[in-house]
Amino acid sequence: MARGILAVLSIALTVFALADCVQTQDDKVRGVPKWAWIVLIVLIPWVGPLTWLFVGKERSWWGRGSSGSPGPRRDGPLAPDEDPEFLRKLDEDIRRERRERRERGEGPGDSGELDDGPGDGGTDTGRSA
């Protein structure tokens, strides 16, 4: 039973490392050429796949510890709701839409929408103090 589990683990590790090696760009491969890594992964069980996973490929997360530089940082907002320019444009669009609706004579009750956003001049929301 234990031999079967070890055999399955060895095959799974080999397949994973082989797939990772084949999908890796050539400029990210370290040490020997990619074809040599493929041969090592397939012919030397456990040692070949583990060596590939730890040594054979440049990994961006590898140098994030105390030694080495952190990986690439993203500049700017991470999401649209963190982007001040997007929020400003969104607020302008909402105000323009409300102004046009008022000019056409449609009230907030005509379309089923509430008009209690930040740009409505502080209307009463129905809450008692």
Side-chain angles (χ1 to χ4, degrees), residues 12-64:
L13 178 66
T14 301
V15 168
F16 177 78
L18 187 61
D20 188 42
C21 180
V22 169
Q23 293 177 1
T24 300
Q25 297 173 354
D26 291 337
D27 60 335
K28 300 270 187 201
V29 177
R30 294 193 298 182
V32 296
K34 188 188 285 190
W35 65 266
W37 278 114
I38 292 171
V39 170
L40 288 172
I41 291 169
V42 172
L43 294 182
I44 306 174
W46 293 101
V47 175
L50 288 174
T51 305
W52 164 256
L53 292 175
F54 288 109
V55 178
K57 175 181 176 181
E58 290 180 19
R59 301 190 189 274
S60 61
W61 51 269
W62 206 256
R64 290 185 186 220

Side-chain angles (χ1 to χ4, degrees), residues 82-95:
E82 295 176 353
D83 184 2
E85 181 64 26
F86 174 79
L87 294 174
R88 183 192 56 76
K89 184 181 178 312
L90 185 62
D91 188 45
E92 288 175 359
D93 290 346
I94 291 171
R95 289 174 192 240

